[in-house]
Structures are given as structure tokens and as C-alpha cells.
Amino acid sequence: PPILLGGRTFPKAEIELAASLKGAVARPTARVELEALGVFLSPDAAGSPRQKLRLDVGLDPVEKSAAHKASGTLSLAVDDQKAPLVSGRFGASFPYSPLVAGSTAQTKFDAHIDIGAALAELPDVVELARARAIGGKLAGTIDLRGDPRDVTAEVRLAASDLKPDGNGPIDANVKVDLLADKTTVDVGVDLAKSRLLTLSGPVGLAGKGLFAKAKAGLDPTLDLTLLVPSRKLSSLSALRPKLEKAPGTLSGAIKLSGSAKAPMAAGALALSDVTTWSGKVAGAGVDLKLDEQALVATIGVGAVKAADAPVTIVATIQRPQLDDFRRKDEADAPKRDKTLD
């Protein structure tokens, strides 16, 4: 029925479901097996491969106890002839039958999810065109533990040999830990096996009481630091070939604060060790400040620090203009995806 599919129709798809429930209300045994197989990506395009979703769940009573345990597996393949893109296992424990009122309030759960793909080998469909063009490999894991009130999580993602627009390669590692009192972020990005930037620090998103907070709306505080380690500007030619002969050394640091909905930033980027025509060693700098009112960029030419430069240019963009640009960019994103072919 279209109501179950958000109004969409999938003429090249089928679904199979098997479910059983046995025993008594106080001591049930249950099994659910669900498999969906069909062309959900670019369903109207010729030659689009089928995707496959498989879900298996079981519920069993614990021997010599009123408790029950549920366990299951999940897999998602974007091409049913290849290994799953996402696979995982999950489990839950109940102090007594989940069919009895109040049992779910004391549930404890855990889950482990594996992600892995060679991006260039993803199906040749519009929805995945951007990922295919970048190439490389993506691998990662997600681990969750919690109950109906609190949750903790560990996210580990690694991308390797990415080549946007044929340039690179870029490698990235992402480490995110959702703890009881905060979330910690540690991201490292390498360009041609040399560190390009890091992003690290705490975020005001606590696992304790997270579900109740989510219902009220989340806007976690930010306390992150973006570092650009010192490197030759010419090394960026791996991303922008025109920089192959660019002089100088690039470095910088930017502090991110505020909140997810209203981020703020302050910091600077510097270009040093530039020899001018007169033989003098100079440079250039950019001071950045984003607050509640505007984004202000002060560009200084002739000195590493913009404030010390003999020539400065100040550019200001008001916050409402930034918000309008972001909304327009988000609205245009689906149109860009459709034209990537």
C-alpha cells in the first residue's frame, strides 16, 4: 500500500514476511523474518540493480527466570549480488515478558553495526553518483548501549584513497564517543599521507537522559578546535594542481563554539615564508570571526598576522545572509544530485 511507502510506488520490488508468536503472554517465544528485494534506487532507469534488506529477530524466555532476551541481525545491500553495505546485530533484555505492561521501561539494549564499501563499485545510479566519483574505500563500526532513558555510543569511521574530482588521495578517520555527560569528537584528515587538518574537542550532547532531551529538541554546545598543521602551500597541489608552484607555508587554528544551530568561530590562517620581489620574507594572514551578528574576515597582505599587515581587506557577511545561503544550498542539493550523471 502506498501509505506504507510514503506515497511512492516500486513496481520492481517484492517483500516477504514470516512471523510467529507462541507460548503464553507471560512467557512468549517469537520469530520475525523480513526480506525486501527490489529496485529502490533509480527504479525507472534501465539496468538498475536490486537492493536487498534482510531483518531477522527472535525473542526467547531465559531458562529458570521471568526474564526474556531478544536478538536479531540486519543487513542492507545496495546490490543484491554483492556483499552488504551495512550489516549488524542487536539485542535487548527484559526483566519479564515484553508483552506485559511496564516491561519495556526496564529494557536494556545493545547493537553493533558494520559499514564497508568500495565506493567506485557502488551501483551506477544517480543517488550514488557522487560517492562513486570520489572513489576509495569506506569502513566503520557503530556500537550502541543503553535503556529507554540513557544511551552511550562509539562511532569509528575510516575513509581511504578518496579522490574528489580525480585529485588527492585523501584519507580520513573519525572517532566519536557519546558518553554519559558529553560527546567527544576526534577527526583527522590526511592529504597524500600528510596531515591536512584535525578537528577535536567536546560537544555538549550527553547520553544520560538523551531520549527525553531529544523530544524537547537538541541544540548541543560546541567546544571544538580546528587545526591546520604547518605545511607547504604547494603541497595542496594534490587537491588543486594550480598550486604546484605556490610559495609559502600554510598553518592555522580556528576555535568553534556556540551551538549546533548557532555556531560561532574565531581563529586565523597564516601563510608564511613567502619571498617577495624585493627579496624580503613576508606573508599573509586571514583572521576569521563568526558571532551572533556576522562573519568577518580580515585579510592582511605583507605580514603573517592580519593585524600587522600594511594592507588589509575586511569582508563582512551578516548572519541572516549566511542563514539564507545555507537554506538555499540545502534546497539545491537534490537538484545537484540529479544532474551528476
Side-chain angles (χ1 to χ4, degrees), residues 283-303:
V286 180
D287 288 343
L288 297 172
K289 183 180 180 181
L290 173 63
D291 57 23
E292 297 90 341
Q293 284 76 41
L295 170 64
V296 180
T298 303
I299 305 169
V301 180

Side-chain angles (χ1 to χ4, degrees), residues 199-200 202 221-226 253-259 263-267 290:
L199 177 67
S200 61
T221 57
L222 306 177
D223 187 13
L224 302 173
T225 301
L226 176 68
I254 298 174
K255 188 72 173 180
L256 302 177
S257 57
S259 69
M264 293 185 284
L290 173 63

Side-chain angles (χ1 to χ4, degrees), residues 66-90:
H68 284 65
K69 286 189 175 182
S71 60
T73 59
L74 170 72
S75 65
L76 172 64
V78 291
D79 185 334
D80 70 318
Q81 299 301 310
K82 297 182 179 180
L85 173 67
V86 178
S87 60
R89 53 177 172 76
F90 52 89

Side-chain angles (χ1 to χ4, degrees), residues 177-184 202-207 210 213 218 220-221:
D177 290 323
L178 174 61
L179 308 175
D181 60 338
K182 63 184 177 182
T183 295
T184 60
V203 174
L205 181 65
L210 179 62
K213 295 173 185 175
L218 296 174
T221 57

Side-chain angles (χ1 to χ4, degrees), residues 133-186:
I134 293 175
K137 295 182 178 180
L138 176 67
T141 60
I142 301 175
D143 287 283
L144 301 168
R145 291 169 296 279
D147 56 40
R149 296 164 297 281
D150 311 322
V151 62
T152 60
E154 297 175 358
V155 178
R156 303 290 185 268
L157 295 175
S160 59
D161 204 29
L162 306 180
K163 295 183 178 179
D165 298 323
N167 301 315
I170 293 177
D171 301 323
N173 285 280
V174 177
K175 179 181 177 181
V176 178
D177 290 323
L178 174 61
L179 308 175
D181 60 338
K182 63 184 177 182
T183 295
T184 60
V185 176
D186 188 1

